[in-house]
Amino acid sequence: MSSTLATTVHVSEEVAAAVAEGRPVVALESTIFTHGLPRPRNIEVALEAEAGLRARGITPATIGVYKGVPTVGLSIEQIEELSNDDAVTKVSLRDLPVAAALRLNGGTTVAATAFLAHGAGIKVFSTGGLGGVHHGAATSFDESADTTTLAHTPIIVVSAGVKSILDVAATLERFETLNIPVIGYKTKKYPGFYVSDSGFEIGYAVDTAEEVAAIANARDDLKLDSAILLANPVAEDKQLPPEELDDILARAWGEAEKNGITGNETTPFLLDFIQRDTHGRSLTVNVDVYRGNVALGGDVAAALAR
Ligand code: PSU
Ligand code: MN
């Protein structure tokens, strides 16, 4: 598929060539390294994800906003610069025109990354955890734009579910309402990001990347425009102890409330709290989760290219 993006968007030559030739490409987001992970781990993780894909002959397309230019295929230098920029903005889809016009540096969320990746003709996108419905959303209205954007962005998103900081039940209901299929990779238990089982069941499980590719092809044949969510749990021996999680989450929420944290600051605040509270153990899990999703995204991109 050719690009439908305006010329103000920059698609790197490497990514444009791979897409044009039908070679496997995996999109990667940038909020994970601008707002999700602490320095210097953020940059190591971002570059390791790219290197791992390249070693398998798969083209990585890390997506973000560099000096106002929405960029599909950031260079290593650009990734380093965004990782170290204290003023970098968290850019969801609504922020994209503002960041472009005001020449901001931005880390793109799942919503903004999926939009740009699809526009560039990329079919697979790997991330850590998705945004979703926050606890208390019935009165706060805090639901990530990830859900509504994925409802009309036909791409495959590989994640380890939604972060356990969210209201998982409500988020799964939203996916149903928005016609977004959730497919478990080798499981019917919806993963909970830090833990391999959130406690919620999902309808479908697949065992191979080929099946995922077939589902995406059927979606395209049917001219449906929703994303397909591939849920890939962290291995049980690498998860955070599930019995500790509820207590950690309760305290994370308490701190957020006490500090008056709202809006798009909520997710980074909670992730940071959990990292400090677990003395970095959640960070190790976060990185393991991300590695697994990048590898599986590579498998799916390769299957689609066959
Ligand atoms: N998962 C992580 N770290 C992150 C995020 C997800 O492990 O930083 C980011 C993603 O970019 C996601 C965003 O799109 O958090 C959701 O933010 P919000 O709830 O404000 O929409
Ligand atoms: Mn929000």
Side-chain angles (χ1 to χ4, degrees), residues 37-100:
L37 300 169
R39 294 175 201 155
R41 206 71 188 92
N42 61 344
I43 183 156
E44 293 163 10
V45 170
L47 296 181
E48 182 205 286
E50 286 215 332
L53 289 168
R54 279 209 179 87
R56 300 172 56 193
I58 296 162
T59 303
T62 302
I63 296 177
V65 182
Y66 183 74
K67 295 186 176 166
V69 182
T71 301
V72 180
L74 291 164
S75 68
I76 288 172
E77 294 72 28
Q78 289 171 331
I79 292 172
E80 282 172 344
E81 201 172 318
L82 294 184
S83 297
N84 288 313
D85 181 356
D86 290 326
V88 67
T89 304
K90 178 173 164 182
V91 175
S92 195
L93 200 45
R94 69 163 183 172
D95 309 297
L96 212 44
V98 185

Side-chain angles (χ1 to χ4, degrees), residues 29-32 63 90-93 95 107-115 125 127 144-146 264:
E29 61 151 309
S30 43
T31 294
I32 192 163
I63 296 177
K90 178 173 164 182
V91 175
S92 195
L93 200 45
D95 309 297
T108 46
T109 63
V110 168
T113 304
F115 170 82
F125 166 25
T127 183
S144 177
D146 289 356
N264 71 355

Side-chain angles (χ1 to χ4, degrees), residues 23-24 38 70 81 125 144 147 156 168 172 183 190 200 205 216 221 230 232 239 252 259 273 292 302:
R23 288 187 275 117
E81 201 172 318
F125 166 25
S144 177
T147 55
I156 298 164
V168 180
L172 288 172
I183 317 290
Y190 191 59
F200 293 90
D221 281 349
L230 183 60
N232 185 32
Q239 67 181 345
N259 289 281
F273 178 90

Side-chain angles (χ1 to χ4, degrees), residues 3-257:
S3 173
T4 58
L5 294 170
T7 49
T8 48
V9 174
H10 175 70
V11 181
S12 74
E13 273 176 42
E14 184 192 9
V15 171
V19 169
E21 292 162 23
R23 288 187 275 117
V25 181
V26 174
L28 304 169
E29 61 151 309
S30 43
T31 294
I32 192 163
F33 61 82
T34 59
H35 292 77
L37 300 169
R39 294 175 201 155
R41 206 71 188 92
N42 61 344
I43 183 156
E44 293 163 10
V45 170
L47 296 181
E48 182 205 286
E50 286 215 332
L53 289 168
R54 279 209 179 87
R56 300 172 56 193
I58 296 162
T59 303
T62 302
I63 296 177
V65 182
Y66 183 74
K67 295 186 176 166
V69 182
T71 301
V72 180
L74 291 164
S75 68
I76 288 172
E77 294 72 28
Q78 289 171 331
I79 292 172
E80 282 172 344
E81 201 172 318
L82 294 184
S83 297
N84 288 313
D85 181 356
D86 290 326
V88 67
T89 304
K90 178 173 164 182
V91 175
S92 195
L93 200 45
R94 69 163 183 172
D95 309 297
L96 212 44
V98 185
L102 302 186
R103 305 262 189 276
L104 304 179
N105 276 342
T108 46
T109 63
V110 168
T113 304
F115 170 82
L116 291 167
H118 170 64
I122 299 171
K123 296 172 180 169
V124 184
F125 166 25
S126 288
T127 183
L130 301 171
V133 180
H134 284 263
H135 290 287
T139 49
S140 72
F141 285 78
D142 191 350
E143 173 184 348
S144 177
D146 289 356
T147 55
T148 52
T149 301
L150 293 175
H152 57 79
T153 307
I155 192 162
I156 298 164
V157 185
V158 185
S159 77
V162 297
K163 277 154 288 172
S164 351
I165 55 174
L166 298 171
D167 185 335
V168 180
T171 304
L172 288 172
E173 291 293 346
R174 289 292 286 154
F175 290 150
E176 183 182 350
T177 302
L178 296 167
N179 301 316
I180 301 171
V182 183
I183 317 290
Y185 189 67
K186 299 186 178 175
T187 183
K188 279 194 175 181
K189 292 172 179 160
Y190 191 59
F193 191 74
Y194 295 121
V195 291
S196 36
D197 180 3
S198 68
F200 293 90
E201 294 272 315
I202 45 178
Y204 307 100
V206 296
D207 292 314
T208 64
E210 279 71 21
E211 287 170 282
V212 181
I215 293 168
N217 288 332
R219 185 254 336 255
D220 295 345
D221 281 349
L222 290 162
K223 302 199 188 320
L224 291 171
D225 66 350
S226 51
I228 290 160
L229 303 184
L230 183 60
N232 185 32
V234 68
E236 265 179 44
D237 61 353
K238 289 192 167 162
Q239 67 181 345
L240 276 189
E243 63 279 5
E244 284 176 36
L245 196 62
D246 285 348
D247 174 59
I248 296 169
L249 295 176
R251 280 183 293 110
W253 271 104
E255 278 303 296
E257 216 160 277

